[in-house]
Amino acid sequence: MLKLGIESGDQEVLDQLNKGIDLSTASAVLKTLKKASIACYCYFLFGTPPENHKSAFKTMDFIVEHHNYIDFLNLAIFNLPALSVEAQSLATHDFYEGDLSLYKNFQHPRGWQRSVVRNFLEKEVKKHPAVATILKRTPEYFTSNHAPFFIDNKI
């Protein structure tokens, strides 16, 4: 199995984040992996500073378009690293009083707050039949970025 951090289905968002990911290349890789019978676990990140509702739909569309090539899926909500360059230019606050995490909550520059992103994921993305099919076969611990630390004796 190969884990791909595609992160967004909107090329403009990827470019603004300086990810170095080309969606046409990612598409070709997904198709090639399927032909080679290599399972693919894809990670997509929602709520990044350059993303908005329209670009999030582009990510959903990318997943749907490639659902036959994606075996497992992680749909994550962006966490802003507290000491990142981005954190210096955004209005930030702790997630809760006394929060000692490495991440900050932030005022999204395009109004795409975490609660809105979470609702979008639950009501739009995860409800789409193509996405729901992938999520049904994705082991629960794959939805954690700490998945390599878990062992499933059933596999």
Side-chain angles (χ1 to χ4, degrees):
M1 177 176 67
L2 188 61
K3 182 177 179 182
L4 300 179
I6 299 174
E7 303 207 14
S8 177
D10 184 337
Q11 190 63 57
E12 188 174 316
V13 168
L14 292 169
D15 293 346
Q16 287 182 36
L17 292 171
N18 297 313
K19 291 295 183 178
I21 297 169
D22 176 73
L23 287 175
S24 60
T25 302
S27 178
V29 166
L30 288 169
K31 293 170 184 174
T32 301
L33 289 171
K34 184 56 83 175
K35 284 181 187 174
S37 299
I38 298 172
C40 187
Y41 169 39
C42 291
Y43 176 86
F44 290 91
L45 187 59
F46 292 82
T48 60
E51 186 182 64
N52 59 26
H53 198 254
K54 182 180 177 184
S55 53
F57 264 111
K58 286 183 179 183
T59 299
M60 184 176 90
D61 291 343
F62 183 90
I63 296 167
V64 169
E65 180 183 334
H66 294 87
H67 76 276
N68 288 325
Y69 309 106
I70 299 171
D71 297 290
F72 308 109
L73 194 54
N74 184 342
L75 305 173
I77 298 176
F78 176 72
N79 287 312
L80 179 69
L83 301 177
S84 67
V85 173
E86 294 84 3
Q88 296 172 15
S89 64
L90 297 170
T92 64
H93 53 279
D94 293 338
F95 284 104
Y96 52 86
E97 188 176 338
D99 181 15
L100 298 175
S101 72
L102 300 174
Y103 302 101
K104 292 286 186 183
N105 202 346
F106 66 101
Q107 186 65 35
H108 196 283
R110 300 175 187 212
W112 191 229
Q113 299 306 111
R114 290 178 69 85
S115 60
V116 178
V117 173
R118 189 172 288 109
N119 281 336
F120 174 76
L121 286 172
E122 294 299 324
K123 295 180 179 176
E124 299 285 342
V125 180
K126 292 180 180 181
K127 299 260 187 220
H128 190 287
V131 177
T133 299
I134 301 169
L135 292 173
K136 283 180 188 172
R137 68 175 169 252
T138 301
E140 188 175 331
Y141 56 82
F142 274 26
T143 61
S144 168
N145 291 331
H146 307 290
F149 300 111
F150 297 100
I151 297 174
D152 187 348
N153 293 326
K154 297 175 192 167
I155 297 178

